[in-house]
Amino acid sequence: MADTVAQAIRASAAALEPVSITARADAEHLMAHALGVSRSDMLLRHMHAPVPDQFDALVARRMAHEPMAYILGEEYFFGFMFKVTPAVLIPRPDSEVLVEAALAARPDARRVLDCGTGSGALLLAVLSNLGQASGIGIDSSQAALEVARDNAVSLGLADRARMLLADWNEPDWSRTLGGPFDLILANPPYVETGAVLEPSVRAHEPASALFAGPDGLDDYRVLIPQVPRLLAPGGCALFEIGALQGDAVVGLAERSDLSATLHRDLAERPRVVEMSPRS
Ligand code: GLN
């Protein structure tokens, strides 16, 4: 039995080794969370304290491959802290490429639409950097919208970001959104239904945000043909894609009279397709 915080961190870091490549850091974050203090405060001041009761339960969740972000209830994205729950995909660093590309493409955007907003990460990161813009995040999950609304409030964007229930597979889904838009963002589901995923992703993240048919392209097939009528003149759409989907998604864009360019992620893989009407 570990008597002190320091001993318990050491023991659980060893236990988490097979589950996590960041076992020691995970153990420290979980302990700081259980103590209700920051990690640096814990390391400076609490290492000899008794072990809080909740710690073992938190470690057990991580041992079952639950992502740290769900256990802690938050994740950083584009320099902002977002609340996350299992109702939303955890924002990933790769998606920051989409935010950067959107800000570069239309720094003057006034109206932004985010399709499948989840935690609101893409929309809220863009609006935080475009003081003149307002936007709508849509999602087919009411539970996700509640998370997105909480994030809009905590980032001080509630007056510029509306989070609305809509499903692009339904006819007329966009009629009440009040388009057209200068920027359309989307990180739709794009994983092949049969793909092998990390246990932390497949068992814990929402399947509805991940899977899009046998080739992972189902949602692009529905959304991309609708982009031209949703875009304002001079507008552009930026969709996240899977690393091997660049050619297929560029092809879908071209068949909808859009010109398309690819942006690469931190690992140099194609990650974002930027689309605008062919001139
Ligand atoms: N990038 C995510 C993953 O690889 C997938 C996100 C998505 O389908 N939109 O797990």
Side-chain angles (χ1 to χ4, degrees):
M1 263 300 282
D3 295 323
T4 67
V5 161
Q7 289 167 346
I9 289 174
R10 210 173 309 121
S12 41
L16 287 168
E17 207 61 55
V19 175
S20 172
I21 55 166
T22 53
R24 169 81 197 190
D26 290 4
E28 290 181 5
H29 281 294
L30 294 173
M31 183 63 85
H33 187 72
L35 288 165
V37 301
S38 71
R39 185 181 175 197
S40 53
D41 245 18
M42 177 190 77
L43 293 171
L44 283 172
R45 283 186 260 281
H46 300 277
M47 294 303 268
H48 301 292
V51 181
D53 289 343
Q54 321 86 295
F55 179 65
D56 284 349
L58 298 178
V59 173
R61 288 170 65 182
R62 187 70 188 117
M63 290 296 287
H65 298 275
E66 186 168 343
M68 286 296 291
Y70 290 152
I71 304 176
L72 302 179
E74 57 188 19
E75 182 66 283
Y76 272 108
F77 179 75
F78 215 77
F80 303 101
M81 187 61 101
F82 286 85
K83 169 182 169 177
V84 295
T85 74
V88 302
L89 200 71
I90 299 164
R92 286 147 164 78
D94 285 333
S95 304
E96 295 185 351
V97 172
L98 192 153
V99 177
E100 274 162 11
L103 297 175
R106 285 302 307 265
D108 57 340
R110 304 199 73 89
R111 306 257 313 133
V112 185
L113 174 65
D114 181 15
C115 296
T117 199
S119 65
L122 293 178
L123 176 66
L124 298 173
V126 165
L127 293 182
S128 294
N129 285 279
L130 298 181
Q132 77 285 359
S134 62
I136 298 176
I138 61 153
D139 208 283
S140 60
S141 157
Q142 196 65 259
L145 291 169
E146 282 165 27
V147 176
R149 285 186 193 118
D150 284 349
N151 283 322
V153 170
S154 66
L155 294 173
L157 294 168
D159 56 337
R160 292 198 282 131
R162 285 199 299 149
M163 304 296 179
L164 303 175
L165 193 68
D167 178 348
W168 55 74
N169 293 298
E170 306 278 338
D172 294 339
W173 64 276
S174 61
R175 226 187 32 204
T176 55
L177 300 180
F181 299 92
D182 304 312
L183 280 174
I184 303 176
L185 321 173
N187 179 9
Y190 58 71
V191 178
E192 303 88 335
T193 312
V196 179
L197 297 178
E198 302 272 329
S200 65
V201 177
R202 180 170 281 276
H204 294 280
E205 298 204 66
S208 60
L210 288 170
F211 299 110
D215 60 3
L217 300 172
D218 281 4
D219 291 278
Y220 302 119
R221 288 194 189 95
V222 174
L223 271 173
I224 288 175
Q226 307 193 53
V227 162
R229 78 176 162 75
L230 290 169
L231 278 181
C236 88
L238 298 109
F239 285 17
E240 184 166 324
I241 57 168
L244 302 176
Q245 294 172 329
D247 290 346
V249 177
V250 167
L252 286 170
E254 287 173 349
R255 284 197 284 288
S256 291
D257 270 331
L258 296 162
S259 61
T261 53
L262 294 173
H263 297 268
R264 289 173 183 272
D265 65 18
L266 306 169
E268 288 295 318
R269 296 167 300 207
R271 181 61 59 191
V272 171
V273 57
E274 177 175 338
M275 298 168 276
S276 49
R278 277 213 193 102
S279 42

